[in-house]
Short mmCIF file of all heavy atoms in Angstrom, two decimals:
data_model
loop_
_atom_site.label_atom_id
_atom_site.label_comp_id
_atom_site.label_asym_id
_atom_site.label_seq_id
_atom_site.Cartn_x
_atom_site.Cartn_y
_atom_site.Cartn_z
N LEU A 1 128.82 108.97 149.49
CA LEU A 1 128.94 107.81 150.38
C LEU A 1 127.57 107.35 150.88
O LEU A 1 127.28 106.16 150.89
CB LEU A 1 129.86 108.16 151.55
CG LEU A 1 130.15 107.04 152.54
CD1 LEU A 1 130.89 105.92 151.83
CD2 LEU A 1 130.96 107.56 153.70
N GLY A 2 126.73 108.30 151.26
CA GLY A 2 125.38 107.95 151.72
C GLY A 2 124.56 107.29 150.64
O GLY A 2 123.80 106.36 150.90
N GLY A 3 124.69 107.77 149.41
CA GLY A 3 123.96 107.17 148.30
C GLY A 3 124.39 105.74 148.04
O GLY A 3 123.56 104.87 147.76
N ARG A 4 125.68 105.49 148.15
CA ARG A 4 126.16 104.12 147.94
C ARG A 4 125.74 103.19 149.08
O ARG A 4 125.45 102.02 148.84
CB ARG A 4 127.67 104.11 147.79
CG ARG A 4 128.10 104.69 146.48
CD ARG A 4 129.57 104.51 146.26
NE ARG A 4 129.95 105.25 145.07
CZ ARG A 4 130.48 104.68 144.02
NH1 ARG A 4 130.70 103.38 144.01
NH2 ARG A 4 130.80 105.39 142.98
N LEU A 5 125.72 103.72 150.30
CA LEU A 5 125.35 102.88 151.45
C LEU A 5 123.89 102.45 151.39
O LEU A 5 123.55 101.33 151.79
CB LEU A 5 125.61 103.62 152.76
CG LEU A 5 127.08 103.73 153.18
CD1 LEU A 5 127.21 104.57 154.43
CD2 LEU A 5 127.69 102.35 153.39
N VAL A 6 123.01 103.31 150.90
CA VAL A 6 121.59 102.96 150.84
C VAL A 6 121.21 102.33 149.51
O VAL A 6 120.05 101.99 149.29
CB VAL A 6 120.68 104.17 151.13
CG1 VAL A 6 120.91 104.71 152.52
CG2 VAL A 6 120.85 105.26 150.10
N GLY A 7 122.18 102.15 148.61
CA GLY A 7 121.91 101.51 147.33
C GLY A 7 121.09 102.36 146.38
O GLY A 7 120.23 101.86 145.66
N MET A 8 121.37 103.66 146.36
CA MET A 8 120.63 104.59 145.52
C MET A 8 120.95 104.34 144.04
O MET A 8 122.09 104.02 143.69
CB MET A 8 121.00 106.02 145.90
CG MET A 8 120.13 107.07 145.30
SD MET A 8 120.61 108.71 145.85
CE MET A 8 120.32 108.61 147.59
N SER A 9 119.96 104.49 143.20
CA SER A 9 120.18 104.32 141.76
C SER A 9 121.05 105.45 141.22
O SER A 9 121.05 106.55 141.78
CB SER A 9 118.84 104.29 141.02
OG SER A 9 118.28 105.58 141.00
N PRO A 10 121.78 105.23 140.15
CA PRO A 10 122.64 106.28 139.59
C PRO A 10 121.86 107.53 139.17
O PRO A 10 122.36 108.65 139.29
CB PRO A 10 123.30 105.61 138.39
CG PRO A 10 123.24 104.15 138.66
CD PRO A 10 122.00 103.94 139.48
N ILE A 11 120.64 107.35 138.70
CA ILE A 11 119.83 108.51 138.28
C ILE A 11 119.46 109.36 139.50
O ILE A 11 119.58 110.59 139.46
CB ILE A 11 118.57 108.05 137.52
CG1 ILE A 11 118.98 107.40 136.21
CG2 ILE A 11 117.63 109.22 137.28
CD1 ILE A 11 117.84 106.75 135.46
N ALA A 12 119.04 108.73 140.58
CA ALA A 12 118.70 109.46 141.79
C ALA A 12 119.93 110.16 142.37
O ALA A 12 119.85 111.31 142.83
CB ALA A 12 118.08 108.52 142.82
N ALA A 13 121.09 109.49 142.34
CA ALA A 13 122.33 110.10 142.83
C ALA A 13 122.70 111.32 142.00
O ALA A 13 123.14 112.35 142.54
CB ALA A 13 123.45 109.06 142.82
N THR A 14 122.51 111.22 140.68
CA THR A 14 122.81 112.36 139.80
C THR A 14 121.88 113.53 140.09
O THR A 14 122.33 114.68 140.14
CB THR A 14 122.69 111.93 138.32
OG1 THR A 14 123.57 110.84 138.08
CG2 THR A 14 123.01 113.07 137.39
N VAL A 15 120.60 113.25 140.29
CA VAL A 15 119.64 114.32 140.59
C VAL A 15 119.98 115.00 141.91
O VAL A 15 119.97 116.23 142.01
CB VAL A 15 118.19 113.76 140.61
CG1 VAL A 15 117.22 114.77 141.18
CG2 VAL A 15 117.77 113.35 139.22
N ILE A 16 120.32 114.21 142.92
CA ILE A 16 120.67 114.78 144.23
C ILE A 16 121.95 115.61 144.13
O ILE A 16 122.04 116.70 144.70
CB ILE A 16 120.79 113.67 145.28
CG1 ILE A 16 119.39 113.14 145.59
CG2 ILE A 16 121.45 114.19 146.55
CD1 ILE A 16 119.35 111.96 146.52
N THR A 17 122.93 115.13 143.38
CA THR A 17 124.17 115.88 143.19
C THR A 17 123.91 117.19 142.44
O THR A 17 124.47 118.23 142.79
CB THR A 17 125.21 115.04 142.44
OG1 THR A 17 125.42 113.82 143.16
CG2 THR A 17 126.52 115.77 142.30
N LEU A 18 123.05 117.15 141.43
CA LEU A 18 122.70 118.39 140.70
C LEU A 18 121.97 119.38 141.60
O LEU A 18 122.21 120.59 141.52
CB LEU A 18 121.87 118.06 139.47
CG LEU A 18 122.64 117.53 138.27
CD1 LEU A 18 121.69 117.11 137.15
CD2 LEU A 18 123.62 118.57 137.76
N LEU A 19 121.09 118.87 142.46
CA LEU A 19 120.38 119.76 143.39
C LEU A 19 121.35 120.38 144.40
O LEU A 19 121.23 121.56 144.74
CB LEU A 19 119.26 119.01 144.11
CG LEU A 19 118.05 118.65 143.25
CD1 LEU A 19 117.08 117.77 144.04
CD2 LEU A 19 117.36 119.90 142.74
N ALA A 20 122.31 119.59 144.88
CA ALA A 20 123.32 120.13 145.79
C ALA A 20 124.17 121.18 145.08
O ALA A 20 124.47 122.24 145.65
CB ALA A 20 124.19 119.01 146.34
N SER A 21 124.53 120.93 143.83
CA SER A 21 125.30 121.90 143.05
C SER A 21 124.50 123.17 142.78
O SER A 21 125.04 124.28 142.78
CB SER A 21 125.76 121.29 141.73
OG SER A 21 126.66 120.24 141.96
N LEU A 22 123.20 123.01 142.58
CA LEU A 22 122.32 124.17 142.40
C LEU A 22 122.30 125.03 143.66
O LEU A 22 122.40 126.26 143.59
CB LEU A 22 120.91 123.71 142.05
CG LEU A 22 119.87 124.78 141.80
CD1 LEU A 22 120.20 125.55 140.53
CD2 LEU A 22 118.49 124.16 141.68
N LEU A 23 122.20 124.39 144.81
CA LEU A 23 122.24 125.12 146.08
C LEU A 23 123.58 125.84 146.26
O LEU A 23 123.62 126.99 146.70
CB LEU A 23 121.99 124.16 147.25
CG LEU A 23 122.04 124.77 148.64
CD1 LEU A 23 120.92 125.78 148.81
CD2 LEU A 23 121.97 123.70 149.69
N ILE A 24 124.66 125.17 145.88
CA ILE A 24 125.98 125.79 145.97
C ILE A 24 126.06 127.01 145.06
O ILE A 24 126.56 128.07 145.45
CB ILE A 24 127.08 124.76 145.63
CG1 ILE A 24 127.16 123.71 146.73
CG2 ILE A 24 128.43 125.43 145.41
CD1 ILE A 24 127.97 122.49 146.37
N GLY A 25 125.56 126.90 143.84
CA GLY A 25 125.55 128.03 142.92
C GLY A 25 124.72 129.21 143.42
O GLY A 25 125.06 130.37 143.21
N LEU A 26 123.63 128.90 144.10
CA LEU A 26 122.77 129.96 144.64
C LEU A 26 123.40 130.67 145.84
O LEU A 26 123.22 131.86 146.03
CB LEU A 26 121.41 129.39 145.04
CG LEU A 26 120.47 129.02 143.91
CD1 LEU A 26 119.28 128.23 144.43
CD2 LEU A 26 120.00 130.27 143.18
N GLU A 27 124.11 129.93 146.68
CA GLU A 27 124.62 130.49 147.93
C GLU A 27 126.10 130.85 147.91
O GLU A 27 126.62 131.33 148.91
CB GLU A 27 124.36 129.49 149.07
CG GLU A 27 122.90 129.29 149.37
CD GLU A 27 122.21 130.58 149.79
OE1 GLU A 27 122.83 131.41 150.49
OE2 GLU A 27 121.05 130.76 149.42
N ALA A 28 126.80 130.63 146.81
CA ALA A 28 128.24 130.88 146.75
C ALA A 28 128.58 132.35 147.04
O ALA A 28 129.49 132.64 147.82
CB ALA A 28 128.79 130.45 145.40
N SER A 29 127.87 133.27 146.44
CA SER A 29 128.15 134.70 146.66
C SER A 29 127.87 135.09 148.10
O SER A 29 128.61 135.89 148.68
CB SER A 29 127.32 135.56 145.72
OG SER A 29 127.69 135.32 144.39
N SER A 30 126.83 134.54 148.69
CA SER A 30 126.52 134.84 150.09
C SER A 30 127.61 134.31 151.02
O SER A 30 127.98 134.98 151.98
CB SER A 30 125.17 134.23 150.48
OG SER A 30 124.14 134.81 149.74
N LEU A 31 128.12 133.12 150.73
CA LEU A 31 129.22 132.58 151.53
C LEU A 31 130.48 133.44 151.38
O LEU A 31 131.22 133.66 152.34
CB LEU A 31 129.53 131.15 151.12
CG LEU A 31 128.58 130.09 151.65
CD1 LEU A 31 128.83 128.75 150.99
CD2 LEU A 31 128.71 129.96 153.15
N ARG A 32 130.69 133.95 150.20
CA ARG A 32 131.84 134.82 149.97
C ARG A 32 131.70 136.12 150.74
O ARG A 32 132.65 136.58 151.39
CB ARG A 32 131.95 135.08 148.47
CG ARG A 32 133.25 135.67 148.05
CD ARG A 32 133.36 135.63 146.54
NE ARG A 32 134.45 136.50 146.13
CZ ARG A 32 134.53 137.06 144.96
NH1 ARG A 32 133.60 136.84 144.05
NH2 ARG A 32 135.54 137.84 144.66
N ARG A 33 130.51 136.73 150.71
CA ARG A 33 130.27 137.96 151.47
C ARG A 33 130.41 137.72 152.97
O ARG A 33 130.97 138.53 153.70
CB ARG A 33 128.88 138.53 151.15
CG ARG A 33 128.84 139.31 149.88
CD ARG A 33 127.53 140.07 149.76
NE ARG A 33 126.38 139.19 149.68
CZ ARG A 33 125.97 138.60 148.57
NH1 ARG A 33 126.62 138.79 147.45
NH2 ARG A 33 124.92 137.82 148.57
N TRP A 34 129.88 136.59 153.45
CA TRP A 34 129.95 136.25 154.86
C TRP A 34 131.41 136.10 155.29
O TRP A 34 131.80 136.56 156.36
CB TRP A 34 129.16 134.97 155.13
CG TRP A 34 129.28 134.49 156.53
CD1 TRP A 34 128.66 134.98 157.63
CD2 TRP A 34 130.10 133.39 156.98
NE1 TRP A 34 129.03 134.26 158.74
CE2 TRP A 34 129.91 133.29 158.37
CE3 TRP A 34 130.95 132.50 156.34
CZ2 TRP A 34 130.56 132.33 159.12
CZ3 TRP A 34 131.60 131.55 157.10
CH2 TRP A 34 131.39 131.47 158.47
N THR A 35 132.21 135.45 154.47
CA THR A 35 133.63 135.25 154.80
C THR A 35 134.37 136.58 154.85
O THR A 35 135.18 136.81 155.76
CB THR A 35 134.28 134.31 153.78
OG1 THR A 35 133.59 133.07 153.79
CG2 THR A 35 135.74 134.07 154.10
N TYR A 36 134.10 137.47 153.91
CA TYR A 36 134.75 138.78 153.94
C TYR A 36 134.34 139.55 155.19
O TYR A 36 135.18 140.18 155.83
CB TYR A 36 134.40 139.60 152.70
CG TYR A 36 135.17 139.19 151.47
CD1 TYR A 36 134.52 138.98 150.27
CD2 TYR A 36 136.54 139.02 151.51
CE1 TYR A 36 135.22 138.60 149.13
CE2 TYR A 36 137.24 138.64 150.38
CZ TYR A 36 136.58 138.43 149.21
OH TYR A 36 137.27 138.06 148.09
N ALA A 37 133.08 139.51 155.56
CA ALA A 37 132.62 140.22 156.76
C ALA A 37 133.26 139.63 158.01
O ALA A 37 133.64 140.36 158.93
CB ALA A 37 131.11 140.16 156.85
N ARG A 38 133.39 138.31 158.05
CA ARG A 38 133.98 137.64 159.21
C ARG A 38 135.46 137.98 159.33
O ARG A 38 136.01 138.04 160.43
CB ARG A 38 133.79 136.13 159.06
CG ARG A 38 134.15 135.31 160.27
CD ARG A 38 133.78 133.86 160.05
NE ARG A 38 134.33 133.31 158.83
CZ ARG A 38 135.46 132.64 158.75
NH1 ARG A 38 136.17 132.42 159.82
NH2 ARG A 38 135.88 132.17 157.59
N ASN A 39 136.12 138.24 158.22
CA ASN A 39 137.55 138.56 158.21
C ASN A 39 137.83 140.06 158.27
O ASN A 39 138.91 140.50 157.91
CB ASN A 39 138.22 137.96 156.97
CG ASN A 39 138.27 136.45 157.04
OD1 ASN A 39 138.28 135.88 158.12
ND2 ASN A 39 138.27 135.81 155.90
N GLY A 40 136.86 140.85 158.69
CA GLY A 40 137.08 142.29 158.87
C GLY A 40 136.94 143.11 157.61
O GLY A 40 137.50 144.21 157.52
N ARG A 41 136.20 142.62 156.63
CA ARG A 41 135.97 143.38 155.40
C ARG A 41 134.47 143.40 155.12
O ARG A 41 134.00 142.77 154.19
CB ARG A 41 136.71 142.75 154.25
CG ARG A 41 138.20 142.69 154.48
CD ARG A 41 138.86 142.01 153.37
NE ARG A 41 139.24 143.06 152.43
CZ ARG A 41 139.77 142.84 151.27
NH1 ARG A 41 139.97 141.63 150.86
NH2 ARG A 41 140.11 143.82 150.50
N PRO A 42 133.70 144.14 155.92
CA PRO A 42 132.24 144.13 155.72
C PRO A 42 131.84 144.85 154.44
O PRO A 42 132.62 145.59 153.85
CB PRO A 42 131.74 144.90 156.94
CG PRO A 42 132.87 145.80 157.31
CD PRO A 42 134.13 145.04 156.97
N ALA A 43 130.62 144.60 154.02
CA ALA A 43 130.07 145.29 152.84
C ALA A 43 129.87 146.75 153.20
O ALA A 43 129.18 147.07 154.17
CB ALA A 43 128.76 144.64 152.42
N ARG A 44 130.46 147.64 152.42
CA ARG A 44 130.37 149.06 152.71
C ARG A 44 129.45 149.80 151.76
O ARG A 44 129.03 150.92 152.03
CB ARG A 44 131.77 149.69 152.60
CG ARG A 44 132.80 149.08 153.52
CD ARG A 44 132.58 149.42 154.97
NE ARG A 44 132.70 150.82 155.22
CZ ARG A 44 133.81 151.42 155.63
NH1 ARG A 44 134.88 150.73 155.83
NH2 ARG A 44 133.82 152.72 155.83
N ASP A 45 129.15 149.17 150.62
CA ASP A 45 128.30 149.82 149.63
C ASP A 45 127.75 148.75 148.69
O ASP A 45 128.27 147.64 148.64
CB ASP A 45 129.12 150.84 148.83
CG ASP A 45 128.25 151.87 148.12
OD1 ASP A 45 127.01 151.79 148.26
OD2 ASP A 45 128.80 152.73 147.41
N ALA A 46 126.71 149.08 147.98
CA ALA A 46 126.14 148.20 146.97
C ALA A 46 125.93 149.01 145.70
O ALA A 46 125.49 150.17 145.75
CB ALA A 46 124.82 147.61 147.43
N VAL A 47 126.28 148.41 144.57
CA VAL A 47 126.19 149.10 143.28
C VAL A 47 125.41 148.21 142.32
O VAL A 47 125.58 147.00 142.31
CB VAL A 47 127.59 149.34 142.68
CG1 VAL A 47 127.54 150.45 141.66
CG2 VAL A 47 128.62 149.62 143.71
N VAL A 48 124.56 148.81 141.52
CA VAL A 48 123.82 148.09 140.48
C VAL A 48 124.44 148.43 139.14
O VAL A 48 124.56 149.61 138.79
CB VAL A 48 122.32 148.47 140.50
CG1 VAL A 48 121.58 147.77 139.39
CG2 VAL A 48 121.71 148.15 141.85
#
């Protein structure tokens, strides 16, 4: 919506969407761990 309001070009909108998706891919596991900890299931161990 913000891109359309400011008249952003389709290429710039695609780049911004890809960057947002990249951030989501990087932080998805952290959000999942945070949600489990918030719901009473904290991290108890780490395995490699």
Side-chain angles (χ1 to χ4, degrees):
L1 183 63
R4 288 188 187 240
L5 286 176
V6 298
M8 191 178 297
S9 72
I11 294 173
T14 302
V15 169
I16 289 175
T17 304
L18 282 174
L19 289 174
S21 295
L22 181 67
L23 178 65
I24 291 167
L26 287 169
E27 293 300 324
S29 296
S30 296
L31 282 170
R32 195 169 165 205
R33 279 191 297 278
W34 175 77
T35 301
Y36 282 132
R38 189 174 53 95
N39 291 333
R41 301 177 92 185
R44 302 289 296 266
D45 199 1
V47 201
V48 177

